[in-house]
Amino acid sequence: MTPRVLALDHVGVLGGAELSMLDVVAGLGDDVSVRLFADGPFREALVRRGVAVRVLDMGALAFVKKESRAPSFAALRAAWQLAGGVAREGAGARVLYANSQKAFVVAALAGRRSGRPVVWHLRDLLGRPHFSALNTRGAVMLANWGAARVIANSQATADAFVRAGGRARIVRVVHNGIAAEPFDAVRDADAQALRAQYAPAPSYVMAVFGRLHAWKGPQVALRALSALPADCQLWVVGAPLFGEHAFEAELRSRAEQLGVASRVQFLGFRDDVPTLMRAADVVVHASTLPEPFGRVIVEGMLARRPVIAADAGGVREIVTDGVTGVLVPPDDSAALAQAVASLRADPARAAAIANAGADHARRAFTVDGMVRGVRAVLDEVMR
Ligand code: UDP
């Protein structure tokens, strides 16, 4: 049977949006086929999960960035051509499901050309400070014109869409879900081995996870580290996924300037996040701007680690301060250092928060729940 859903994403790397889509499409099984506009580890991961996937060339559309002003004529032409390709690829499908903003632009055009409804899984907080006014206006106008439904990954994402002029009627909130199994499967011996490899004993390890980008706030964790005792260590886990190599260099020299370089491990992109989280003492989310959702927070909870997170955006839908985690103001390294110090000083409280977080994450953010939510929206549209 031809899959009813043609799913689209424009990137080849494994960002949070792609990791989430991986679980969604794997959950939809034979009912979905995927087209990516770039090759890379995302395609390989889809293949490993048994998902049908092909790569289409996105041409000049590759050069449009989210901070961009008006897209070039070449980019518009590339989007139009790609839409033709997607319309052909989706001839047998009943719905186009777009997982990224560029994929949605193409899907909206393709949907018009082929008469297929389009669902946009929105994983960004539209509007400032993340997007230019022009980009936001363009995205919202296109959504109001070309999306049968918008799935928002948090209420914060839904609210930002509506605030920017998006039609509330078409929005459905489906929180991300994250599989607990890889976290439950972590072996103590493996976590201990990583700990021994990356931190001297005795020590207290805080760890940040995410692509290296200024708004993800690893620099805030560095500053916090410099205010903490000398046996405190920081693991920075993640890579510059979208070309932010200058930021990585800046971060390393910042560690030197702050005199903490010997207490920081830059671990690059890892596929053993569950084990690394278990090996750390506290998982820190330090984004300086509101986060649309924040998978790493749920993951820290699943790893049974106390999580400290930046109090903004979708994070507030995940963490109850002092109960399932600790919230600190964004971009406030003094507050972060204070929160780390107080968890360290009170291991019983840290354990209680970690356990409450683990229970909450297992109930509220399941992959099943997410797949059911997405499937319900797709079904709604196909009816
Ligand atoms: N991640 C990973 N390896 C790394 C760093 C991060 O697999 O080295 C994963 C992390 O576990 C999480 C995702 O990347 O699942 C980041 O998602 P999040 O929602 O936190 O941020 P996004 O990248 O979507 O802005």
Side-chain angles (χ1 to χ4, degrees), residues 14-17 19 209-211 215-216 237-239 268-271 273 277 291 293-296 299:
L14 281 171
L19 288 166
F209 297 81
R211 64 200 144 87
W215 85 263
K216 288 291 183 181
V237 185
F269 186 87
R270 302 280 298 222
D271 58 12
V273 166
M277 284 185 168
E291 185 81 57
F293 181 83
R295 288 171 55 88
V296 294
E299 291 169 351

Side-chain angles (χ1 to χ4, degrees), residues 173-209:
V173 175
V174 178
H175 280 136
N176 284 333
I178 291 158
E181 292 78 11
F183 293 86
D184 294 340
V186 171
R187 295 184 335 178
D188 286 340
D190 293 336
Q192 281 157 12
L194 285 181
R195 176 72 176 227
Q197 186 179 355
Y198 296 124
S203 59
Y204 190 82
V205 175
M206 54 199 257
V208 291
F209 297 81

Side-chain angles (χ1 to χ4, degrees), residues 297 307-312 315-316 318-322 325-329 335 339:
I297 298 161
V307 178
I308 302 173
D311 185 10
V315 174
R316 293 173 177 163
I318 305 173
V319 175
T320 304
D321 187 26
V326 175
L327 295 177
V328 292

Side-chain angles (χ1 to χ4, degrees), residues 3-6 28 31 92-96 116-119 148-149 374-383:
R4 293 184 305 163
V5 182
L6 188 73
L28 294 175
D31 211 12
R94 299 261 307 274
V95 58
L96 305 178
R116 301 284 180 281
V118 177
V119 173
R149 293 288 180 274
V374 171
R375 199 198 294 275
V377 178
L378 295 172
D379 282 344
E380 207 184 322
V381 168
M382 286 192 276
R383 270 202 301 273

